[in-house]
Amino acid sequence: MLLVTGVNGGLGSLVLERLAARPGGPHGVLAGSRTPERAPSTGVPVRTVDFDRPRTLDAAFAGVRTLLLISAGYGEDDVVVARHRAAIEAAERAGVEHVVYTSLSGDGDHLAYAAAHRWTERRLRESATLRWTILRNGLYAELLGFLARPGADGVITAPLGDGRLAAVARADLAEVAATVALAPDGHAGRVYELVGEEAVGGAEVAAALSRGAGRPVEYRPGTLAEARAAVAASGAEAFQVPMVTGTYAAIAHGFLAGPGRPGDLAALLGRAPRPAVDVIAAGADASW
């Protein structure tokens, strides 16, 4: 039995769709959510999985052979670590054999939210009973489209400088996660770096949004200080301010540009990844 956590989230819902649509249908798959009543209608049975209520996890993981552990959402590091600790400990108690974990790409160590991912990877390696596979996901193309969205005047002021991001289509990451989770034995002990092959910068985002929205978009990067003030004034949680500005800084200074060649993503997909600019163009928001 395969259990997928976080099925109400962007990545988890896409994984669930792929698992439910495969030739064998939803047989052998379970969906996990803290709000099961809102889980996608895919025909997959849903269990309550709430990492903030560890007592729910023993029953949730009963009979599960493979756990696809979708990273448990944004939060302060201690909150995310506590969630992942609860999930891994419950998996060990329940006799889960293999955990597939969606982590953060190796070049993401410069990001403010890397620590909880690296802690989780280390905890899985130290487990005496669990086999594991780590999917180090690059940042989503959809996220870059959001971070570099233009203002009402059609100008992108995101402080990306001349930097670029090896962004990945979320759908491609979902496809890889579903593939690996369905046949985890062949991926045991592997760490896969799943980043885009072609890095995208502010100018490319502007061109993609111009195509998608049918309106001209210009890229005129602002400063990190201006971005920090804007995020802080937006009503974001306190921990989200360094998350967003740190992401801008890592892109701007060239830490997330990727290897610029085919890697684990293409090999696991069995095809070329979706171009990030196409994903961004498809998600262009004509309301600005």
Side-chain angles (χ1 to χ4, degrees):
M1 190 70 72
L2 164 64
L3 173 65
V4 182
T5 71
V7 298
N8 286 359
L11 180 61
S13 62
L14 289 176
V15 172
L16 194 63
E17 286 178 11
R18 278 150 183 76
L19 293 172
R22 76 194 199 282
H27 177 72
V29 179
L30 295 169
S33 172
R34 69 174 62 199
T35 53
E37 69 281 0
R38 289 164 34 198
S41 299
T42 59
V44 176
V46 185
R47 291 183 177 181
T48 299
V49 176
D50 188 343
F51 299 142
D52 292 329
R53 294 189 293 152
R55 292 183 180 179
T56 68
L57 300 180
D58 288 349
F61 293 171
V64 171
R65 177 181 181 272
T66 303
L67 175 66
L68 177 52
L69 177 58
I70 306 291
S71 179
Y74 297 118
E76 297 285 3
D77 285 346
D78 56 350
V79 172
V80 178
V81 166
R83 291 170 177 166
H84 291 177
R85 177 188 289 114
I88 294 170
E89 290 178 352
E92 291 171 331
R93 291 193 303 270
V96 171
E97 297 177 16
H98 199 124
V99 174
V100 179
Y101 172 60
T102 61
S103 188
L104 175 69
S105 63
D107 56 10
D109 281 343
H110 299 277
L111 299 173
Y113 39 94
H117 288 290
R118 300 298 174 251
W119 181 93
T120 306
E121 293 182 11
R122 184 181 67 192
R123 177 63 178 81
L124 287 170
R125 289 189 178 97
E126 292 174 349
S127 176
T129 62
L130 295 171
R131 287 177 293 176
W132 50 265
T133 305
I134 294 169
L135 305 178
R136 284 185 164 179
N137 292 346
L139 298 187
Y140 301 152
E142 293 87 345
L143 174 63
L144 179 59
F146 173 77
L147 291 176
R149 65 196 184 280
D153 57 357
V155 176
I156 296 172
T157 59
L160 302 176
D162 295 324
R164 284 173 167 76
L165 171 67
V168 190
R170 186 161 47 196
D172 281 352
L173 296 174
E175 185 175 331
V176 168
T179 298
V180 171
L182 284 171
D185 293 348
H187 305 280
R190 297 293 302 273
V191 178
Y192 293 114
E193 292 287 346
L194 306 176
V195 300
E197 297 177 6
E198 183 176 353
V200 178
E204 289 84 5
V205 172
L209 292 177
S210 295
R211 293 196 305 273
R215 297 173 56 187
V217 178
E218 184 181 353
Y219 175 52
R220 295 204 303 261
T223 67
L224 282 170
E226 291 166 341
R228 183 180 297 275
V231 175
S234 71
E237 298 284 347
F239 71 86
Q240 293 176 314
V241 178
M243 286 178 66
V244 175
T245 55
T247 300
Y248 283 136
I251 296 171
H253 295 105
F255 290 111
L256 297 173
R261 53 179 168 74
D264 292 335
L265 182 62
L268 289 169
L269 288 170
R271 59 169 173 81
R274 294 171 174 85
V277 290
D278 291 353
V279 176
I280 293 170
D285 182 2
S287 66
W288 44 266

